[in-house]
Amino acid sequence: MDLEEAFQVVGEFGRHQKRMITILVFLQIYMACQSMLIILVGAVPEYHLELVTDGVDGDITQSVKFTEDVSSIVTEWNLIKHQAYKVNLAGSLFFAGVLIGNVLFGPLSDKIGRKPVFLTGLFFEVLFGYGTALAPTYELFAVSRLLVGLMNGGMALVCFVLTQEYVGKSYWAMTGTLTNMTFAVGIALFGALGYYVRPWRNLATVANCPGLLLFLLCVNLPESPRWLYSRGHKEQAEDILQDFALRNGKGRIIVKLRRAVSTSAPDAASPGVFQLVTHPILRWRTVVLMYVWYACSLVYYGLTLNASEDKGNRYLSVAMYGLVELPAYPLCMYFINKQWAGRRKSLANFLVFAGVSCLLTMVVPASGSLLSATSLALVGKLMVSAAFNIVYVYTSELYPTVVRNAGLGVCSMSCRVGGILAPFVPSMKSLHASMPFMVFCLSGISAGCLGLLLPETLNKPAAETLDELSSPTYQRILEPQVHLLEEKHLIDHNGADSD
């Protein structure tokens, strides 16, 4: 039997898989707290400068007087005026770390396995997270954020892949949506946590503690049977699937998998990032997906980090920018499983609507009415959240198993470039009040249009190997117009090789 048939026999989403997915999904709350930590830890309270005269020498100096009772790195290290950039820099360093983690850990998990890379990343993220809370200087704080981001980038990517590879393909959209929905809940919970835990060091410590508990729960998770199968470890994959059947209440079922097409030589050089550039079909998909991920990240994190710029209760603002995402997930679950919408059209439409919402913020009042810039920004966040959820699921389906993590790693790397730039976009208001939303608008609309160039994957089989992806039978399953485009790239590539 093939892998999908095996999952149908042992249970595509049995009680054992539900327990494993629950642990991995709860990790999203921890990751949300780490990703959004700088919003509250780097909060800038109201302040004014006072002139102080030295009674002995008569020298006049300036001192900072904070008028809000806020504990943050700004108040502890006086990060104002010419030092204010350091707050945004700390946020960007986290996403720079995530980018590096994606580059390093994505291909590594394709080579040595999902589980060892996942557990290593989670362990060190928790360790460096405590370093953030204990940092005595800004410089050490910034380094700790970089290291937390580095581990987060590798661990989060593999965590998402495991939620897909532990279950049957028909449940990929559901587990992907559940993962992203929990991240949104995590943002809201972080806003509530910040309200009750005001000292920034205590907040960083409390937000990091769940990671330790979840690490202990993750130690007993098995390796991905899909990864084992794609690497030629057929017997180990069969053992894990048989264990799934037993724990799902199916009894002792004998699972015999047919050997994968490209795994007859397991010790040979394995596919990786290089294949994303040299393979004609993967190259085209990767270029488009990288830009779509970049735009999703820039708009998503830019709008969320802009919550700290809103007037009023900053804790409520953070919670609102998290909670507003929740309606997006039932919406995209509905649309991406409809034949007339599917993954491709849903992704494109949500991105375009996000861009239009950001465009409209420039022509309505900032606040004071139902149709205000703030409410439209929240609508934009809802739309881009739906797009972000779809692109995770969609990308997993567009890449074969042997390079899935490498593909997700490269796309996520591009995504983190958007995350690195996002903290600085709200500060573009100094150039023009509408500049940040103009950036979000153009990014969303252009990414939506490019997304239409990708093939539809709804109700299509997932390729396990590169040979399977390139086979004429598999290519004919794609939509005709996209198939012709990718076939042209394949012919051009083969023609160049023959020359």
Side-chain angles (χ1 to χ4, degrees), residues 100-113:
I100 298 169
N102 292 155
V103 174
L104 295 179
F105 288 97
L108 189 62
S109 70
D110 279 332
K111 188 173 292 290
I112 68 172

Side-chain angles (χ1 to χ4, degrees), residues 65-343:
K65 179 70 174 179
F66 292 102
T67 57
E68 286 185 77
D69 184 20
V70 172
S71 170
S72 70
I73 60 173
V74 175
T75 58
E76 181 162 335
W77 294 315
N78 286 332
L79 302 181
I80 58 170
K81 296 293 184 180
H82 63 285
Q83 297 288 322
Y85 76 93
K86 290 183 176 180
V87 178
N88 291 333
L89 179 61
S92 290
L93 283 173
F94 173 85
F95 288 107
V98 174
L99 186 156
I100 298 169
N102 292 155
V103 174
L104 295 179
F105 288 97
L108 189 62
S109 70
D110 279 332
K111 188 173 292 290
I112 68 172
R114 314 303 198 209
K115 183 178 177 180
V117 173
F118 168 67
L119 290 178
T120 301
L122 178 55
F123 174 80
F124 282 104
E125 181 174 359
V126 173
L127 187 65
F128 294 137
Y130 285 118
T132 293
L134 300 173
T137 63
Y138 169 79
E139 289 72 21
L140 288 176
F141 173 86
V143 170
S144 73
R145 295 315 295 159
L146 176 66
L147 293 174
V148 169
L150 179 69
M151 296 301 131
N152 183 283
M155 183 272 292
L157 178 67
V158 184
C159 177
F160 178 82
V161 171
L162 284 174
T163 63
Q164 305 273 282
E165 295 187 348
Y166 280 154
V167 301
K169 187 178 182 295
S170 61
Y171 286 90
W172 283 10
M174 190 201 71
T175 56
T177 298
L178 190 60
T179 296
N180 293 326
M181 184 184 294
T182 310
F183 189 90
V185 173
I187 296 175
L189 290 176
F190 178 64
L193 183 65
Y195 178 80
Y196 289 105
V197 184
R198 297 299 178 93
W200 77 266
R201 292 185 185 275
N202 293 349
L203 176 60
T205 301
V206 173
N208 196 56
C209 285
L212 183 60
L213 173 63
L214 289 165
F215 171 78
L216 297 176
L217 293 174
C218 288
V219 169
N220 292 323
L221 294 177
E223 181 55 270
S224 163
R226 291 181 183 275
W227 178 83
L228 290 169
Y229 178 67
S230 69
R231 298 289 294 171
H233 305 297
K234 187 170 72 76
E235 292 76 13
Q236 295 178 42
E238 290 169 351
D239 290 341
I240 290 176
L241 289 170
Q242 287 168 179
D243 185 62
F244 281 8
L246 188 62
R247 292 171 182 264
N248 286 338
K250 301 275 188 176
R252 295 188 179 277
I253 296 175
I254 303 300
V255 176
K256 288 296 180 182
L257 297 172
R258 67 170 64 103
R259 192 165 294 277
V261 176
S262 294
T263 55
S264 56
D267 297 326
S270 61
V273 176
F274 186 65
Q275 292 290 343
L276 303 181
V277 178
T278 58
H279 195 284
I281 295 175
L282 292 180
R283 179 171 61 241
W284 173 251
R285 292 184 186 180
T286 300
V287 169
V288 175
L289 285 169
M290 284 179 69
Y291 183 75
V292 171
W293 278 69
Y294 160 79
C296 284
S297 178
L298 181 71
V299 180
Y300 179 91
Y301 288 109
L303 289 173
T304 306
L305 295 172
N306 194 55
S308 61
E309 304 277 328
D310 291 347
K311 301 299 182 183
N313 190 320
R314 64 171 55 88
Y315 307 102
L316 179 61
S317 294
V318 172
M320 283 177 59
Y321 273 89
L323 292 175
V324 75
E325 296 183 36
L326 296 182
Y329 300 111
L331 274 178
C332 58
M333 278 292 289
Y334 174 78
F335 284 111
I336 66 177
N337 290 310
K338 294 297 180 182
Q339 198 65 44
W340 48 267
R343 275 65 159 149

